[in-house]
Amino acid sequence: MSTLKLTAARKTRALPDVVKRRNKLLMKLGEQRMLAAAQAQGEHYTPTRLRSYKHADTGIRIMKEVPVRIKPWYWTGEKGEMLLAINYGSKQIELQKGKTAIDVGEAANLCKVLDTVIDAVRNGELDTQIESASVKLREGFKK
């Protein structure tokens, strides 16, 4: 026991909302990164999710892996440049006032730009933008 470093830390019961939102965005950015890498190599990327179905005849619940379609957050612009928008839910994150997309340039740079965005989200640089997108998204559910 003398070689171990002891501390009086406690495990938090729930993550703060900022961390939850950041993790949600990081998961989606990771999917976009894998989609972009697969398309760069000329392959298809289709992740799967577990879905629960009720069998029509027996009534038993069945867990089944089903493919999920991912919509790319990037597209080719009018001048032939690759553009990337960061989405939180169904809302685009406004990165600067009036600017919602990143000019990637060539398609070969897309994975590098996505890695940069992932690092920025991990470091908390987009927390205020994520918060404002989350507020806009929640307002859509109110009556």
Side-chain angles (χ1 to χ4, degrees), residues 62-122:
I62 301 169
M63 294 297 284
K64 204 176 195 182
E65 274 194 17
V66 294
V68 179
R69 186 184 74 161
I70 297 178
K71 293 181 182 178
W73 293 354
Y74 46 89
W75 67 96
T76 304
E78 296 172 352
K79 301 171 190 164
E81 78 280 17
M82 181 71 71
L83 298 169
L84 169 70
I86 310 301
N87 295 333
Y88 185 82
S90 61
K91 302 292 180 189
Q92 285 188 352
I93 292 179
E94 190 174 32
L95 301 168
Q96 283 184 349
K97 189 71 175 168
K99 297 182 181 180
T100 59
I102 300 169
D103 186 354
V104 177
E106 296 179 9
N109 300 336
L110 183 60
C111 289
K112 293 176 192 171
V113 171
L114 279 167
D115 288 337
T116 306
V117 172
I118 288 171
D119 289 340
V121 171
R122 272 199 193 112

Side-chain angles (χ1 to χ4, degrees), residues 21-40:
R21 290 187 188 106
R22 195 182 302 158
N23 289 340
K24 178 181 173 183
L25 184 59
L26 282 171
M27 190 173 72
K28 296 296 182 182
L29 281 167
E31 287 180 345
Q32 291 295 317
R33 170 70 169 83
M34 293 183 67
L35 179 66
Q39 285 182 350

Side-chain angles (χ1 to χ4, degrees), residues 17-64:
D17 288 340
V18 174
V19 176
K20 286 181 188 177
R21 290 187 188 106
R22 195 182 302 158
N23 289 340
K24 178 181 173 183
L25 184 59
L26 282 171
M27 190 173 72
K28 296 296 182 182
L29 281 167
E31 287 180 345
Q32 291 295 317
R33 170 70 169 83
M34 293 183 67
L35 179 66
Q39 285 182 350
Q41 295 174 355
E43 300 173 0
H44 293 284
Y45 171 68
T46 52
T48 58
R49 303 277 192 267
L50 284 174
R51 297 286 182 212
S52 175
Y53 292 102
K54 193 173 187 178
H55 194 272
D57 298 331
T58 62
I60 299 174
R61 286 243 169 240
I62 301 169
M63 294 297 284
K64 204 176 195 182

